[in-house]
Amino acid sequence: NAGVTQTPKFQVLKTGQSMTLQCAQDMNHEYMSWYRQDPGMGLRLIHYSVGAGITDQGEVPNGYNVSRSTTEDFPLRLLSAAPSQTSVYFCASSRDTGELFFGEGSRLTVL
Amino acid sequence: AQTVTQSQPEMSVQEAETVTLSCTYDTSENNYYLFWYKQPPSRQMILVIRQEAYKQQNATENRFSVNFQKAAKSFSLKISDSQLGDTAMYFCAFMKQFAGGTSYGKLTFGQGTILTVHP
């Protein structure tokens, strides 16, 4: 059972570079979301999607783009990385039962 | 907007003893879920327990139980018979229920409590 798969697990970028964090789920969940985890701040919602073609901003969306062309995939794009985006990123999926299923996280360092 | 506060950055407990982690939240909503998630050093987020706000009965999952006080907006986690494998960061989280019971997968997390279980 794959569940939620995130790639890459580790990435180092230079300021100004772009990259995409990939997220895929095989549970046919409607909802998908991206969170970032920073020390002392818990996890904060970046963007979320309620279905293919529908996305919306969360608490900390600046500097990130998302799209959802299929139910399974929800990539997170950093167009011009900044040191403030150094963080651990989690993708999650869920249905209306409330429980979120998380990927294993991606540690991103921006130099 | 909702806020979740975990006032204990770190806690420690001896193996086999009981420990309680605190969580308070602020919301004007009446329908919501509350969760405790565990994050061990592996970084994986693991659901520990879930509580629906409309249920008065406190949720339990084996050694884990909650004390849900809706009026006080308090949601503490009690771990009984602590085990070394319980060592982890624990997050309290809030999820609003929208019309029709939908949630959209939007969680608001507390800051986390690092729990260390000593042998």
Side-chain angles (χ1 to χ4, degrees), chain A residues 2-7 9 22-26 34 91 102-104:
Chain A
V4 178
T5 303
Q6 279 182 243
T7 56
K9 293 198 172 30
Q22 302 291 345
C23 177
Q25 55 98 0
D26 62 359
W34 278 101
C91 179
F102 287 87
E104 294 181 343

Side-chain angles (χ1 to χ4, degrees), chain A residues 9 31 33 35 37 40 42-43 48 50 90 94 96-100 102 104-105 107, chain B residues 33 35 37 39 43-45 47 50 91 95 101-107 109-111:
Chain A
K9 293 198 172 30
Y31 311 136
S33 48
Y35 294 82
Q37 180 179 7
L43 282 75
Y48 68 101
V50 300
F90 286 92
S94 64
D96 271 333
T97 54
E99 178 184 357
L100 264 65
F102 287 87
E104 294 181 343
R107 180 176 293 278
Chain B
Y33 296 104
F35 302 85
Y37 277 89
Q39 186 181 46
R43 201 168 69 195
Q44 181 67 45
M45 294 289 288
L47 177 66
R50 180 179 75 179
F91 290 101
M95 177 182 282
T102 56
S103 65
Y104 302 136
K106 297 173 65 178
L107 277 173
F109 285 87
Q111 304 91 329

Side-chain angles (χ1 to χ4, degrees), chain A residues 38-111:
Chain A
D38 301 293
M41 304 189 75
L43 282 75
R44 292 178 292 167
L45 181 64
I46 305 171
H47 285 284
Y48 68 101
S49 170
V50 300
I54 307 171
T55 65
D56 203 351
Q57 297 180 352
E59 181 184 354
V60 288
N62 293 340
Y64 308 95
N65 280 352
V66 293
S67 61
R68 189 151 176 221
S69 56
T70 66
T71 300
E72 294 78 19
D73 300 302
F74 190 46
L76 178 72
R77 298 182 185 85
L78 286 72
L79 298 180
S80 178
S84 61
Q85 293 178 304
T86 293
S87 189
V88 178
Y89 292 84
F90 286 92
C91 179
S93 72
S94 64
R95 278 193 282 255
D96 271 333
T97 54
E99 178 184 357
L100 264 65
F101 294 82
F102 287 87
E104 294 181 343
S106 300
R107 180 176 293 278
L108 175 65
T109 301
V110 183
L111 303 175

